Amino acid sequence: MMGTSEVVLRAISGVVPAQSYTGLFVNTTHLVISSTAHEKYRKKSCSLFLSQRSILKTPNTCSKNYRKENINDRSLSFKCQCQRAEGTSGTTSGETNGTWFTESVNQANQILGDLNGQKFIPFENASVIPSDIPANPQSYTSTGNSIEDEAWRLLQDSMVYYCGTPVGTIAAKDPSDSSSNVLNYDQVFIRDFIPSGMAFLLKGEYEIVRNFILHTLQLQSWEKTMDCHSPGQGLMPASFKVRTIPLESDDSATEEVLDPDFGEAAIGRVAPVDSGLWWIILLRAYGKCSGDLSVQERIDVQTGIKMILRLCLADGFDMFPTLLVTDGSCMIDRRMGIHGHPLEIQALFYSALLCAREMLAAEDGSADLIRALNNRLIALSFHIREYYWVDKRKLNEIYRYKTEEYSYDAVNKFNIYPDQISPWLVEWMPDKGGYFIGNLQPAHMDFRFFSLGNLWSIVGSLTTTHQAHAILDLIEAKWSDLVADMPLKICYPALEGQEWRIITGSDPKNTPWSYHNGGSWPTLLWQLTVACIKLNRPEIAARAIEVAEKRLALDKWPEYYDTKRARFIGKQARLYQTWSIAGFLVAKLLIEKPDAARNIWNDEDAEIVNALNIMVDSNPRKRGRKILKKTYII
């Protein structure tokens, strides 16, 4: 027979079969050995609910040494230092695409080759440097590059532990910030953890990502209310915090709890729409990178995926296949005039649908959901590609739009008035290149360029191949506006003057060319890198990495930069921002091993392409109309 403490520790590691402990509630006391030899043992209580839905299934046979660690001002916390068995780090990366290793990759190596006196190993004989790296603390300091070494150390220092296991990274850990000025930057944000999770996956550190996925899943079903109103079932929290509270039965003992925030405590009180979408994307990346598909096959994880999908696919009053959301529901989490159908949410939505379809188990109960998912993928793809796209030709078409058209075959379907085309756009649009606009609603097109939405449209295959290359063409053509002294502008251009006052409500944080209003965010570097590698144009990302590497460490890894050219550190930017650190590391890792980017992006679906071709050929504006074999609601 195993003792209770041993059962808990082995259950956390997945050694004990889940079926043996279904529904068992354990409240056990662990002993923590202090690093000081003369200090006595201290007691720490940790409550766990062990069930088939909450115990990890993947075996972990490592031996663990626990030491006392002060994390997030918690007086007592556990940190696990262990050596993983080599067999757990197997990565299935798929077949190598020989076309990647062309002259463009060599250009990327040349650009990055001499940075900080370090020579990057070039790609030879169309092969990729092996990606299996020892999963131990020493792996963080083996690069020989002082900037990367510092970044890995800072990322490791930002890790948060719950009952002895790592569960995420806090948003920022600036030692100069007073405790009263921390706000919620000491919490683990789902959105912010994505680049951290990708960095750990690319480095072979899978445990923290697995724990993050499963613990945030447990928070999904929590009931949260604001003014007696509860959000829809399936909503993922924006963030969570590990709190230490005293036990009711014993004042001298404490227990750790996860305290989620669904927006009821956030500035503006907006629920995050993107958290669940990012969670699905990270879940797929975990399976792709680790080769461990047992997590996504679990009943509770499958249920979590379905709950998110049902929430997003629910019928409403909207006529469009895009998700209707309010301002502040994504990375731009303050009022910035993106209410309606913002591109960022649509790109993440499309990618998450593809990821979910790939992971959903085939069963009778999923048939209707998969059918609705497929229909939405086709309709959403057509809608974004057809109506959100602008380039010089499309802009000239809008310029000559007729208005007040009433018919099924109207050209100006959304009754867009040509006067909406701003003078800045007429001069800014290059001859070669294009992009997806930020938002589309009746009689309104938001022509601002939003970086994350456009980049993830490439990553998630929401764009056509032509559109994807045109977006990168535009970034190259407008490098001084979108990259300049620090990549990458979150949106362009900034709202100014009366427009800023009306749309943002005179937001003192979103002043022109600051924060979300035209500020530059280093974390966007990793999405740019994935997009560039996917299109076999890594030299663009390498050039941006070179720009960032000159300043990020010297500036203490700021959250964002201000001014048109990103010359100043943001006026309210947190230093040592975790996703700035992680975004840089992911970009560097992917440039060194581009084949790993396959585990992040979505390939274009042949069935969707075929359906879209039929729909385009059936457009009444074209000659030779064909009859649809199947009706798609768009």
Side-chain angles (χ1 to χ4, degrees), residues 23-97:
L24 174 64
F25 182 84
V26 181
N27 191 341
T28 183
T29 302
H30 302 291
L31 296 179
V32 184
I33 301 178
S34 171
S35 59
T36 306
H38 301 288
E39 189 174 353
K40 295 182 179 180
Y41 294 116
R42 293 191 179 185
K43 292 184 177 181
K44 176 75 173 176
S45 175
C46 176
S47 296
L48 296 173
F49 183 79
L50 303 182
S51 69
Q52 188 171 358
R53 295 181 60 178
S54 62
I55 298 177
L56 305 183
K57 293 183 177 180
T58 306
N60 187 347
T61 58
C62 61
S63 59
K64 299 184 179 182
N65 297 319
Y66 293 94
R67 63 183 176 86
K68 190 172 82 173
E69 184 82 0
N70 187 353
I71 299 201
N72 291 352
D73 298 325
R74 289 186 282 141
S75 59
L76 285 173
S77 178
F78 294 104
K79 184 172 182 179
C80 172
Q81 292 178 317
C82 60
Q83 299 288 338
R84 290 173 181 77
E86 292 182 2
T88 62
S89 61
T91 302
T92 56
S93 59
E95 298 179 359
T96 303
N97 185 349

Side-chain angles (χ1 to χ4, degrees), residues 314-325 340-341 346 376 383 388 414 440-442 633-634:
D315 292 333
F317 290 98
D318 204 2
M319 286 293 294
F320 312 130
T322 43
L323 278 181
L324 177 62
V325 298
H341 307 87
Q346 316 314 322
R376 193 62 166 265
H383 186 85
Y388 275 63
F414 298 92
L440 176 65
Q441 298 186 78
I633 301 174
I634 62 171

Side-chain angles (χ1 to χ4, degrees), residues 132-146:
D132 48 326
I133 299 171
N136 56 56
Q138 284 73 27
S139 66
Y140 293 112
T141 57
S142 60
T143 62
N145 183 306
S146 59

Side-chain angles (χ1 to χ4, degrees), residues 107-222:
Q107 292 175 13
N109 281 319
Q110 185 177 0
I111 292 172
L112 291 175
D114 296 320
L115 291 179
N116 302 305
Q118 180 192 5
K119 286 287 184 180
F120 279 80
I121 302 174
F123 304 104
E124 298 176 354
N125 301 323
S127 63
V128 183
I129 303 171
S131 60
D132 48 326
I133 299 171
N136 56 56
Q138 284 73 27
S139 66
Y140 293 112
T141 57
S142 60
T143 62
N145 183 306
S146 59
I147 297 177
E148 290 178 64
D149 290 345
E150 178 190 4
W152 280 115
R153 178 182 59 79
L154 292 171
L155 184 60
Q156 193 177 28
D157 289 345
S158 71
M159 291 168 64
V160 174
Y161 295 82
Y162 172 64
C163 295
T165 57
V167 293
T169 54
I170 59 174
K173 193 175 183 181
D174 183 359
S176 64
D177 258 356
S178 62
S179 57
S180 61
N181 194 39
V182 170
L183 296 177
N184 56 355
Y185 281 81
D186 63 343
Q187 298 191 24
V188 180
F189 281 81
I190 289 186
R191 179 189 309 123
D192 291 40
F193 180 75
I194 301 304
S196 296
M198 295 298 181
F200 288 125
L201 290 177
L202 294 173
K203 203 69 170 178
E205 294 283 340
Y206 306 132
E207 180 188 16
I208 184 173
V209 181
R210 183 178 65 242
N211 293 340
F212 173 86
I213 289 170
L214 294 175
H215 281 298
T216 49
L217 176 66
Q218 291 175 344
L219 300 176
Q220 182 187 31
S221 59
W222 279 38

